[in-house]
Structures are given as structure tokens and as C-alpha cells.
Amino acid sequence: MPRKRLCLLGVLLLLTGYLSTAGAQPARALPDELWFDAPAAATLTVEDGRFKDGLGREVVLRGYNVSGTTKLKEHRGLPFASVADARKSARALRALGGGNSVRFLLHWAYAEPVRGQVDTAYLAAATAQMGAFLDAGIRVYPDFHQDLYSRWLFGANSWYTGDGAPRWAVDLGGYPDEFCGICLFWGQNITQNEAVKRATYDFWHNRHGVQDAFLTTAEKTMTYLRQHLTPAQFAGVVGFDPWNEPHSGVLDPGQTSRTWEKDVLWPFYERFRARMDAAGWQAKPAFVEPTLFWNANIGFQKEEGGFLDVGRLGPRYVFNTHFYDQKAISGIFMWGKAADGQYVTDFGTVRDRAAATGTAAVISEFGHPLSGGVSDKAPTVLKAMYQAMDSRVRGSGWWTNPSGSGPVLSGQQWQWDIYNGRHRELMNDNPGKVQTEGDAWNDEDLSAVRLDDSGTPVLRQDARLLDRVYPSATAGSAVAFTYEDRSRDGATTLTWNEVPRSLPAVRQLVGSGQYALLVWRSDGSAEPTELHLPASFPTSATTVVSDLGVTVSPPAYTRATPVAVASEPGGTGSRRLLLTDADSGTLHYALVTNGATAPPATLLDAARTELSTWTVAQFG
């Protein structure tokens, strides 16, 4: 049976399940014109090195980590104090932050507080909070999070703390008192704290069967999620991240980080993959992370890795990595601020490693401190990171080399914590060290959101930076993409991708506004290509110039409308641009801007002519 007919059949079957298993959501038929908003559209697989939804469209996942609160005892290892707070956060993440996905943190210590006994009350609470995001139309991949192996390695008066393994796993080890020496940053404990190093080593070598216990708990957790989420919700769970930021702890004699990754880390992932299959997650990929420092941008910290010796991962795995600019965070190795193209090489390496391993890539953590001595770099660092996820070509060279863009990368910013600045965490259970500021964990402060005095979520960063245009679903394949967000660094507007003077009509149309340009090759789909529309792109101020049509204030979507707008799934008020043409192999383009007010038809026609000529010249 042809793929499109299979997709349509899947939509009908899944839609039936959706309408009959909506749980607390009121049962209602989908409007005929939004027939593609069924669980099939939420289902995600890996195909030809890209994420694909159940309708065959190329998908980009953008969003946040939810949340570092899981590391704390304050809410018993959960991201939220209640399901109501989870719903509030999910709505804000969609409507304010522009996210369509989250990496949802779980805590092993709370899932298995007693060896061999899974706490179903914890799993029930986590499942309900996860469901709040799924009901808001947000895709989820859970992550069993750990940092510095375990909080139980640290005493009441320690300078730092950890999270992850339960107390019983630490008690088995007989580890020395933790001590990091001269550690200016908590991450130095990974390589300098003997207790952390030894406990980490023991986990990877399954001493006392601790790795076996973790895998058993992971399987039970995944089974619980599959059984207690509705079919429609479970369709939106896109995979699982087995272990956060893996590091060897201690290498065996003659071993290198590269051979450790091949001989120790990868077998663990294969064991985890088998547990996913046993739990009924056969169709969902494992989001596997290479050794932590494989892509560090400080030379003495960098380790060889990136799955160089594993071979092709294939569609059952996703190349999942983190990126923080340690030079910028250090305050020592980077003077000044980030600039146009700052990270295109770093993120290009991620694209290359994913392609070499035959799978899709996701940058599941990236970010920068929002307070402290280096916080002034945050606006430029984050803009440069988002820029590098959009394209591997710097802004100043994009219009002359768009074909070098590469795939649009998926990524989840660290982090989305509505309790930022309002925590009450007893650090290492010490009542004399109550943490309230920032993220309440090792002096970090990276949350993009907080609650105001009325309890309403508000952004802590420029909305123009966070709420972005991006191609959330492409009917075919994205060939090139760029977005000029015009975000601010203080009072300065950061413009790194000016429309060139060789395109005067396009330049005039965009003016000082934000703009995005997507070039894609169609595949004959009847489904629309979707771009997220930020709140800064209200319908009345949105202009689209495309080979599919030219429109000011795009109309509401119907199947017969090639350029239109619609709400995004989940009822949060967020919106999307829909571009539809059921041809095959045709190269399309669409410029989306909020820079024009009532532009005349002559200007729109001139801009379309310029873009059509430019597209032919650049792509043939």
C-alpha cells in the first residue's frame, strides 16, 4: 500500500482512539479543515536522518527542559508542585516560549527509593504532570537525570550537591568523603571529586548490580507510562533519554574516552534499548548521549568521542548531545560577547556526527547563566546558539550560500522553571542552607521563565529571542532556513542577517521587522508545511511572500488555501502558518515577515519576483 494511503488510514484509526480516550479532555470532533491534527501527526520516528511525523513530514523539535526542579527535594523529585502548576507551565511554554517539545526530567532516587521497589505514587504524579504537556500539544521525551551521580555523596555542609542515584546505591559503595579541592564550578566535581568519580565508575561497571537495578526501574517506569497515558498522549512521547551527561568517572588502564564510549557506554545503551522494547516502546527511539566532553570548546577539557567507533546508529537511536559555551561561562577564556556565526562550526559538527551515524540530531541542553558575572553575554550567546541551530551558515553569508544551511537542528534550552527565584530547598537537607534564589541548585540561574507576584508565568529573556519562527513540520525536506529575530542586547538591536541590497524590494518589505525564509522541496503530500508563528507575528501584521501565493493577513486554514494560519494543537492560543501544495519534487520558498504595514501590491509582486529569481540562482 502506498505510504500516503497508509498515513491516511493511520489518521483515521488513531483519530478514533483519540476521540474515545481523551480522558479529562472534552470529546469533540476535529474540524474537517484540521484533519491532520490527529495523533498520527504527533507520532515521531527517524527516517533518512531526520525526524518524521506519522504523516511523513520532516519535524523540528524546539522547546525547553522541564525542569531543574526535578533535581531538588522540594517537590520530591518532580518538576512541579501540582498538576495545576504543570498545566500552567505547559500553556506558558507553548504561548510565551514558542516550544513544541520538552525534555521531561525524572529522578531515579524517587522512582526507586528502596532497592527493587518502584514508588508507583511517584510514577503516577510524574505521569500526570507529563500528561499536562502532552495535552497542550507538546511532544515529550523523558530523561532519567543525574548530575555528580547522587545527592547522597554530599554532606550537609558541602559546597555542592548532586542528583540521580538513590541513597541505597551510594551506601553500597563505601565511598570517600567528597572533596573537590579548588572547584570554582560545580561541574569540576565530575573529574576532580574522588567520591563522584568512583561512584560513577561503579555504576558503569555494574558493581553491586546497581546498573541492573537502574535498568529494571527504567523498564518499569516506561511500562507504567505506556499503560497510564492515553493512546493519544503516548503518541506524543517521542522517545527516552537513558542517562544525562555520561562520563567514565575513572578510566581503566590503557582505556581512552573513545574506547570507553565504545566498550562501556554503548553496551549500556543497547541494554537500555532492549528494556524499551520490553516495555512496549519498540517504535520510539532512544535519545543517546555521547561522552560528556566530546564537544567541549575548552581544549584541556575536550575528550575524544561522539560515537566515532559505534558505527551507524540507525532509526532506533537519536544522536543526542549538549552544548554550553564553557569559554563564555568561565569569564576567563572569552572576552567580549558572542557574534554572528559564533557557533556554526560547533553545531555543524553535531550535524556531521549525526549524519555519519545515520540518524537525527538533537541538542537536548544549551543555555547560559542569566545572573552573575558573565550574564551580560547571555543575549548574544543564546542568539548565536539559536542561529546555529537554524543554519550552519553565518548570517552575513546566508543569502549568498543558503544551500550550505544543512538540516534545521532540534533543541531544548536549559531550562523552563516557573519557580525560579521562589524555591525553598534545604541544600543537602541542611536547614541552615535554604536555597531560594535562581534555580536553587549549585548557584545556577538559567531559567527562561519565572512567576510574577500574581502567579503568572513571565519570560526572563527577550521574547523575540525565545519565541521564534521555525519549520515545525515540512511536507518534504527543508533545504535552507534562516530567521532574523532582531532580539536585543540591552538597548541594542542585534541584526546579524540583513537582507542584501541586491534584493531591494524584499529589503524594503522586511524593513526593521523580523523575518524568516524557508526553502523546501515538496514530496507530493497533501499535508501542509507548518511554521510556528510567534506572538510578535499577529495575523494582521504577518506578510507572506511565496511561490505558493502572496498574502497580507493570511486567512484561516482550509484544505483549498495554500497560505493560511491556524491555531496550534493544545488550545494554548499559539499559532502556525500553513503552506500547502500537493506537488512532488518542486522547490518552494516562503518569506514570512512582520516588517510591513499594508504593503502595496506592487511591492509584494516585486519581492516575489526577486525571491523567485534568487531561488533559481541559488538552487537551480
Side-chain angles (χ1 to χ4, degrees):
M1 186 180 291
R3 178 177 65 83
K4 290 300 166 188
R5 290 180 62 192
L6 280 171
C7 287
L8 291 174
L9 178 61
V11 169
L12 293 173
L13 292 173
L14 285 167
L15 184 53
T16 302
Y18 173 78
L19 294 175
S20 63
T21 60
Q25 298 300 311
R28 63 185 185 277
L30 292 171
D32 182 66
E33 65 271 18
L34 297 182
W35 60 276
F36 55 89
D37 280 346
T43 302
L44 203 70
T45 57
V46 176
E47 182 181 330
D48 300 326
R50 308 284 178 102
F51 290 118
K52 295 290 184 75
D53 69 13
L55 303 177
R57 299 179 299 176
E58 180 182 312
V59 168
V60 172
L61 301 174
R62 290 288 177 87
Y64 304 84
N65 282 261
V66 177
S67 81
T69 298
T70 302
K71 301 181 182 185
L72 308 179
K73 190 175 182 180
E74 183 179 21
H75 301 313
R76 294 193 67 255
L78 293 165
F80 302 99
S82 66
V83 176
D85 278 3
R87 291 196 187 102
K88 177 191 292 188
S89 186
R91 289 193 296 269
L93 187 145
R94 195 79 147 126
L96 297 179
N100 68 356
S101 58
V102 295
R103 180 174 180 244
F104 191 98
L105 275 60
L106 298 172
H107 203 304
W108 176 20
Y110 289 92
E112 189 187 7
V114 177
R115 184 168 191 170
Q117 298 181 23
V118 172
D119 186 343
T120 55
Y122 174 78
L123 296 185
T127 302
Q129 293 186 9
M130 193 180 299
F133 286 82
L134 294 162
D135 290 342
I138 297 171
R139 289 183 173 95
V140 169
Y141 61 102
D143 155 50
F144 261 120
H145 208 80
Q146 71 80 37
D147 296 281
L148 309 184
Y149 189 68
S150 176
R151 171 257 173 272
W152 301 107
L153 290 171
F154 296 84
N157 294 312
S158 293
W159 290 0
Y160 301 104
T161 190
D163 66 286
R167 183 169 190 166
W168 61 260
V170 172
D171 289 344
L172 290 170
Y175 302 113
D177 291 341
E178 65 84 15
F179 178 69
C180 195
I182 303 175
C183 286
L184 301 179
F185 307 101
W186 70 260
Q188 290 176 264
N189 284 269
I190 297 169
T191 57
Q192 293 178 222
N193 189 320
E194 197 65 24
V196 173
K197 290 162 60 178
R198 289 294 168 186
T200 302
Y201 177 92
D202 285 352
F203 175 83
W204 295 121
H205 291 78
N206 199 24
R207 188 180 178 216
H208 303 298
V210 290
Q211 188 180 119
D212 290 340
F214 169 77
L215 290 169
T216 298
T217 295
E219 181 181 338
K220 291 178 180 178
T221 298
M222 289 185 282
T223 300
Y224 189 97
L225 290 171
R226 179 180 58 79
Q227 292 175 343
H228 291 83
L229 293 169
T230 69
Q233 290 173 332
F234 190 59
V237 177
V238 299
F240 208 110
D241 184 343
W243 190 265
N244 179 65
E245 296 183 351
H247 188 265
S248 62
V250 181
L251 293 172
D252 287 318
Q255 194 175 50
T256 66
S257 60
R258 180 168 173 172
T259 58
W260 175 83
E261 195 179 73
K262 177 175 70 74
D263 297 333
V264 178
L265 180 60
W266 186 251
F268 166 76
Y269 287 145
E270 291 180 314
R271 298 183 72 199
F272 194 95
R273 174 72 264 180
R275 298 298 186 123
M276 290 180 70
D277 295 347
W281 292 51
Q282 299 94 328
K284 301 180 187 293
F287 284 58
V288 293
E289 302 184 35
T291 185
L292 171 59
F293 296 121
W294 81 277
N295 61 344
N297 68 342
I298 295 180
F300 64 81
Q301 192 180 55
K302 190 176 181 68
E303 296 180 339
E304 198 172 19
F307 299 138
L308 293 170
D309 302 305
V310 171
R312 292 181 67 80
L313 304 186
R316 284 164 56 79
Y317 298 91
V318 169
F319 187 86
N320 169 19
T321 190
H322 298 174
F323 184 83
Y324 294 93
D325 186 346
Q326 297 297 339
K327 292 181 179 179
I329 292 174
S330 73
I332 300 172
F333 297 102
M334 173 182 161
W335 297 100
K337 299 183 179 182
D340 177 24
Q342 187 87 20
Y343 306 115
V344 294
T345 299
D346 295 299
F347 285 31
T349 300
V350 173
R351 289 179 172 90
D352 291 342
R353 287 306 308 144
T357 57
T359 191
V362 63
I363 300 177
S364 61
E365 282 190 30
F366 63 95
H368 190 83
L370 300 184
S371 62
V374 298
S375 61
D376 64 310
K377 302 179 190 295
T380 57
V381 166
L382 267 296
K383 179 181 174 74
M385 288 180 177
Y386 276 112
Q387 177 197 55
M389 285 195 291
D390 289 344
S391 171
R392 66 189 302 162
V393 180
R394 70 177 61 234
S396 60
W398 190 88
W399 285 91
T400 56
N401 184 29
S403 61
S405 289
V408 182
L409 285 176
S410 295
Q412 285 68 48
Q413 183 177 332
W414 185 274
Q415 63 161 329
W416 190 268
D417 172 18
I418 61 172
Y419 307 114
N420 177 272
R422 295 175 178 269
H423 288 283
R424 183 171 176 78
E425 173 72 4
L426 276 61
M427 183 176 179
N428 297 321
D429 293 327
N430 186 338
K433 299 181 72 173
V434 179
Q435 306 296 300
T436 60
E437 297 182 357
D439 301 337
W441 195 84
N442 286 340
D443 294 325
E444 286 198 341
D445 184 15
L446 284 86
S447 178
V449 70
R450 64 176 179 86
L451 297 176
D452 67 14
D453 290 341
S454 70
T456 301
V458 293
L459 295 178
R460 301 179 64 225
Q461 295 174 273
D462 190 345
R464 288 159 289 208
L465 170 70
L466 299 181
D467 191 11
R468 309 176 62 79
V469 178
Y470 58 93
S472 53
T474 302
S477 58
V479 175
F481 177 71
T482 191
Y483 180 51
E484 178 48 76
D485 56 42
R486 312 276 192 185
S487 57
R488 310 302 203 259
D489 179 11
T492 302
T493 299
L494 301 171
T495 301
W496 292 349
N497 193 349
E498 289 274 15
V499 178
R501 296 185 182 278
S502 57
L503 301 171
V506 177
R507 186 179 175 92
Q508 181 181 345
L509 182 67
V510 168
S512 60
Q514 299 167 298
Y515 78 88
L517 180 57
L518 173 68
V519 181
W520 77 101
R521 191 173 299 280
S522 63
D523 66 352
S525 300
E527 302 86 9
T529 289
E530 302 184 19
L531 289 91
H532 170 70
L533 284 178
S536 60
F537 280 73
T539 301
S540 60
T542 298
T543 298
V544 181
V545 178
S546 171
D547 66 297
L548 302 179
V550 177
T551 182
V552 179
S553 301
Y557 176 75
T558 68
R559 298 192 202 186
T561 309
V563 181
V565 295
S567 297
E568 294 195 274
T572 60
S574 57
R575 298 157 46 259
R576 53 188 161 164
L577 178 71
L578 303 171
L579 306 163
T580 309
D581 195 349
D583 53 30
S584 182
T586 301
L587 198 68
H588 297 291
Y589 67 84
L591 173 78
V592 188
T593 183
N594 59 7
T597 302
T602 53
L603 179 61
L604 295 171
D605 290 342
R608 188 180 191 186
T609 298
E610 288 179 357
L611 286 171
S612 296
T613 302
W614 173 84
T615 302
V616 171
Q618 293 297 328
F619 300 98

